Amino acid sequence: MTTTESKNGVDYDVVVAGGGPVGLFLACELRLGGAHVLVVERLAEVDETIKAGGMNTAGAVTLYRRGLLPDLTAAWERNRWRMRAFLGDREQEQKQKQGADAPRTPPKFAGHFAGIMMRGDLFDDSDPAFADIGPADGVGLGVPQVELERILGARAERLGVEIRRGVELTGFDADENADDGADGADGVVVHLGSGEDVRTGWLVGCDGGRSTVRKLAGFDFPGTEPEITGYQAVVEMSGGERLGAGWNTTDVGTYVNGPFPGRILTVEFDGPPADRSAPVTAGELQAALRRVSGVAEVTIHKVHSSTRFTDNARQASSYRRGRVLLAGDAAHVHSPFGGQGLNLGLGDAMNLGWKLAAVVRGVAPGTLLDSYTAERHPIGAWVLDWTRAQIAVMRPDRHARALRRVVADLALTSTGTTYLVKRISGVWQHYDLPGDHPLTGQSAPDLELADGTRLGDHLHDGRAVLLDLADDPKLRARAEGYGDRVDVVTVACPGRPELTGLLVRPDGFVAWAADQGDSGEGLGEGLEETLDHWFVAT
């Protein structure tokens, strides 16, 4: 890890507002790139409120590339047993009710769209989008957000990130004419609730959907108004045996029971709640669950964790205003359906971290940050529409229910299932980068290399990797002059003999690639321009 001390009269190179998974992961990325980072989080302890229940493939691959696969695997195993116990109990109940000839457990879970479950046996994993994902495939599925936050918090501490919990950002003053990120005393003075003022070169708001940073900085936040009230909770209840397991659609709305004991979710199309910030009571949850499920006997005795949500869908038009940037829910909000939010935020952090660290170190111009909004905004916009589409299919009116039946029929085909899984998993995501090679702009395949390593093993330190797959000294020579920002690895790749070279950015996306037989490509045509665009020769 390259380190640097803050300079030019600032206390920290970057202050990150918000110590959830996105803020912590961004801080780790910045620290890997050599930035001096402070994270301020208003909560004194890790938030135990039930939120995201897992990650998609893209999210898991992101963390695998930073060496966190063992931690994810351990968390996934712990939670898989809890889910298996719940599903096993439900299966036993069904057998007792239906007799010994009751149907077997349904095919493995492949995800859902608006509560329409997809069958794993219909998923075509030969689709090229799922090739070479590597060992992270499926690992993050059952890792709850609270456990991920602990994993990332421990990593941030190991990397030397300063984290102040129980400290809230209350305001800031950004210097004028500081948009270009050039060296100098320009920066941001951050005001903390403790009464302390901190001077920083850059401020990043990772402080959630009601972001203080976004509001104070004046980012516009257009979008669509909410039409639902939703609850998610972990409770102790009686009468729950009469509830259907999993996702259930009724004449009133939608409810979910599981995938572990006491976890419930309800959705009603009666407009947004009057006060989202008010404590959620057992009576409120019980009334919602009874209304949606029609099970009058279900009684909630105790609430362990609960939250309200809506389908408010908004996105900042730009993720940067001068020295202030946004990532995660601070930049975009939407309903939780499809589990996209956490993964979207992790992708923001991975994309922004290495770029901002390079600007902080003075090895890249501030204009490099323009690519952050350019690359991440289209993916965020897609996620908002993906969740809006699910709301449209979940509405209880006759037109929406007719549409739902059509979508359900399509989902029960191999083509439909594969399309939906591809979108939910995030493996389709790419950036519009210059170059004609099919891999350019794509998330890099996790190539198995001749020395027994995989490509992902070479990305742990947060540096770019140039794979010299044909032992070409001319190719390596073109990569000289980029200091500690680009690692050159000369190794064969038996599984992809057509590839001669691959330049992978620190975020794991391919910036340049060449095949055997490409005119001039074996000598690195276009490589120098690509390297200089992203890393600037010294």
Side-chain angles (χ1 to χ4, degrees):
M1 179 185 70
T2 302
T3 61
T4 184
E5 293 301 324
S6 53
K7 56 184 179 179
N8 297 322
V10 298
D11 303 307
Y12 299 92
D13 295 319
V14 184
V15 169
V16 176
V22 175
L24 290 170
F25 187 52
L26 175 61
C28 291
E29 291 296 289
L30 290 165
R31 191 67 183 140
L32 281 179
H36 188 202
V37 188
L38 169 67
V39 175
V40 293
E41 165 56 50
R42 65 179 182 83
L43 298 178
E45 303 290 342
V46 172
D47 188 1
E48 298 283 349
T49 303
I50 182 171
K51 293 181 181 177
M55 289 178 290
N56 64 10
T57 300
V61 167
T62 292
L63 298 179
Y64 156 65
R65 286 171 172 160
R66 292 299 184 258
L68 292 171
L69 186 60
D71 300 280
L72 291 181
T73 301
W76 171 217
E77 288 298 331
R78 289 192 298 271
N79 286 282
R80 183 156 52 180
W81 284 110
R82 184 169 62 157
M83 288 188 282
R84 280 178 176 172
F86 173 75
L87 295 173
D89 290 345
R90 300 297 301 205
E91 181 183 7
Q92 188 62 36
E93 290 174 8
Q94 292 299 316
K95 286 183 177 180
Q96 291 175 354
K97 290 179 181 178
Q98 301 175 25
D101 295 329
R104 294 182 179 181
T105 303
K108 67 178 182 179
F109 174 72
H112 75 87
F113 180 83
I116 299 169
M117 310 309 293
M118 286 166 283
R119 289 171 37 183
D121 61 335
L122 294 176
F123 166 53
D124 180 10
D125 59 6
S126 67
D127 188 292
F130 297 95
D132 298 319
I133 290 174
D137 190 13
V139 171
L141 180 63
V143 180
Q145 181 168 323
V146 65
E147 294 203 32
L148 177 60
E149 186 171 332
R150 291 193 181 99
I151 291 170
L152 293 175
R155 174 173 172 78
E157 290 180 1
R158 290 195 301 270
L159 290 174
V161 173
E162 183 177 344
I163 304 172
R164 298 190 196 176
R165 293 192 174 273
V167 176
E168 186 172 8
L169 178 148
T170 57
F172 60 86
D173 299 305
D175 291 336
E176 296 180 0
N177 303 317
D179 288 1
D180 63 358
D183 286 341
D186 293 331
V188 184
V189 178
V190 176
H191 309 303
L192 303 179
S194 60
E196 181 184 1
D197 287 347
V198 172
R199 187 169 187 86
T200 180
W202 299 84
L203 171 64
V204 185
C206 299
D207 50 342
R210 286 170 271 190
S211 168
T212 299
V213 172
R214 184 188 67 236
K215 293 173 183 176
L216 293 179
F219 285 86
D220 61 341
F221 205 47
T224 50
E225 297 294 329
E227 57 182 276
I228 70 168
T229 292
Y231 298 96
Q232 183 175 205
V234 178
V235 303
E236 294 179 16
M237 62 183 172
S238 57
E241 65 278 359
R242 299 197 58 184
L243 298 172
W247 287 74
N248 301 270
T249 300
T250 72
D251 292 338
V252 176
T254 296
Y255 76 93
V256 182
N257 178 26
F260 54 84
R263 188 262 184 166
I264 59 169
L265 181 148
T266 65
V267 178
E268 295 177 87
F269 286 80
D270 55 355
D275 184 1
R276 280 193 62 188
S277 60
V280 180
T281 66
E284 187 178 357
L285 288 170
Q286 178 177 288
L289 186 56
R290 287 180 175 181
R291 283 194 303 269
V292 180
S293 69
V295 179
E297 297 83 359
V298 66
T299 301
I300 294 178
H301 304 286
K302 187 175 181 179
V303 180
H304 293 286
S305 176
S306 61
T307 184
R308 293 184 190 86
F309 63 88
T310 74
D311 58 321
N312 181 38
R314 298 183 178 278
Q315 183 181 25
S317 299
S318 173
Y319 293 176
R320 178 191 175 197
R321 285 182 62 110
R323 291 294 186 107
V324 182
L325 301 108
L326 303 176
D329 289 349
H332 35 69
V333 295
H334 51 83
S335 77
F337 303 124
Q340 296 294 312
L342 174 60
N343 304 283
L344 183 59
L346 293 174
D348 290 347
M350 190 78 149
N351 187 286
L352 174 60
W354 68 274
K355 296 174 182 177
L356 182 52
V359 172
V360 163
R361 292 178 58 200
V363 295
T367 53
L368 177 62
L369 297 175
D370 295 339
S371 66
Y372 171 51
T373 296
E375 292 177 357
R376 294 304 299 171
H377 196 277
I379 295 177
W382 176 85
V383 168
L384 264 66
D385 278 347
W386 184 253
T387 61
R388 289 182 181 117
Q390 292 181 80
I391 291 294
V393 202
M394 292 172 69
R395 291 183 184 125
D397 62 85
R398 291 187 66 180
H399 291 82
R401 290 301 161 89
L403 176 62
R404 185 180 184 86
R405 287 190 288 272
V406 173
V407 174
D409 285 346
L410 291 172
L412 286 175
T413 66
S414 179
T415 300
T417 292
T418 304
Y419 167 81
L420 292 169
V421 172
K422 185 187 301 186
R423 307 306 280 188
I424 293 169
S425 68
V427 298
W428 63 274
Q429 296 176 10
H430 65 280
Y431 301 138
D432 185 15
L433 303 183
D436 297 327
H437 195 281
L439 287 177
T440 302
Q442 303 293 326
S443 179
D446 192 40
L447 302 176
E448 294 187 69
L449 305 174
D451 61 0
T453 65
R454 305 185 71 104
L455 174 56
D457 298 326
H458 297 276
L459 292 168
H460 291 183
D461 293 331
R463 293 190 291 270
V465 172
L466 175 63
L467 283 182
D468 169 24
L469 299 172
D471 196 5
D472 187 340
K474 294 183 179 179
L475 185 72
R476 296 193 295 274
R478 292 180 186 240
E480 295 177 357
Y482 295 92
D484 59 356
R485 287 162 291 148
V486 181
D487 292 336
V488 179
V489 179
T490 300
V491 65
C493 181
R496 298 290 292 269
E498 78 282 4
L499 280 175
T500 58
L502 202 67
L503 175 63
V504 182
R505 302 191 320 188
D507 57 2
F509 282 77
V510 178
W512 172 89
D515 287 339
Q516 294 280 2
D518 289 344
S519 177
E521 291 290 345
L523 300 179
E525 183 177 313
L527 176 59
E528 274 186 286
E529 294 86 346
T530 303
L531 282 164
D532 199 48
H533 174 76
W534 294 113
F535 307 109
V536 187
T538 55

